[in-house]
Amino acid sequence: MFDFVLDAVMKYTPLESWDVSTDSLLREDLKMDRSDIFLLKNELEKMFEAEISDEEMENTRSVMDLLRLAEKFAKM
């Protein structure tokens, strides 16, 4: 699941994949802005064929949070 999330994240960060870990913060470490996170949310929704609430996405601050979110929707 990490590789799946990493692939999605890499589309919206200027960093290299080796710079990303589960502890990486989306805004601070990965330099993602609000529009990047919005685009990432849309991509995840399409992949999981599910709707991610704005609140869920606002509470998603790290790659680990994204992994938890992805696992939640993957089980649905």
Side-chain angles (χ1 to χ4, degrees), residues 35-53:
S35 64
D36 295 326
I37 293 171
F38 176 78
L39 293 170
L40 178 60
K41 174 186 178 239
N42 286 341
E43 183 169 341
L44 293 173
E45 286 177 332
K46 287 178 188 173
M47 290 181 177
F48 290 117
E49 298 178 356
E51 186 173 329
I52 300 170
S53 72

Side-chain angles (χ1 to χ4, degrees), residues 10-51:
M10 293 313 300
K11 294 177 184 177
Y12 306 104
T13 181
L15 303 178
E16 299 295 332
S17 60
W18 56 79
D19 293 323
V20 179
S21 73
T22 55
D23 295 327
S24 298
L25 299 174
L26 302 179
R27 293 177 190 260
E28 294 85 348
D29 299 330
L30 303 183
K31 312 297 185 220
M32 295 174 74
D33 61 22
R34 187 175 181 94
S35 64
D36 295 326
I37 293 171
F38 176 78
L39 293 170
L40 178 60
K41 174 186 178 239
N42 286 341
E43 183 169 341
L44 293 173
E45 286 177 332
K46 287 178 188 173
M47 290 181 177
F48 290 117
E49 298 178 356
E51 186 173 329

Side-chain angles (χ1 to χ4, degrees), residues 51-68:
E51 186 173 329
I52 300 170
S53 72
D54 290 339
E55 182 179 343
E56 282 178 305
M57 205 61 193
E58 286 174 15
N59 292 329
T60 302
R61 302 190 189 290
S62 68
V63 173
M64 180 56 79
D65 293 339
L66 276 177
L67 281 169
R68 288 184 188 119

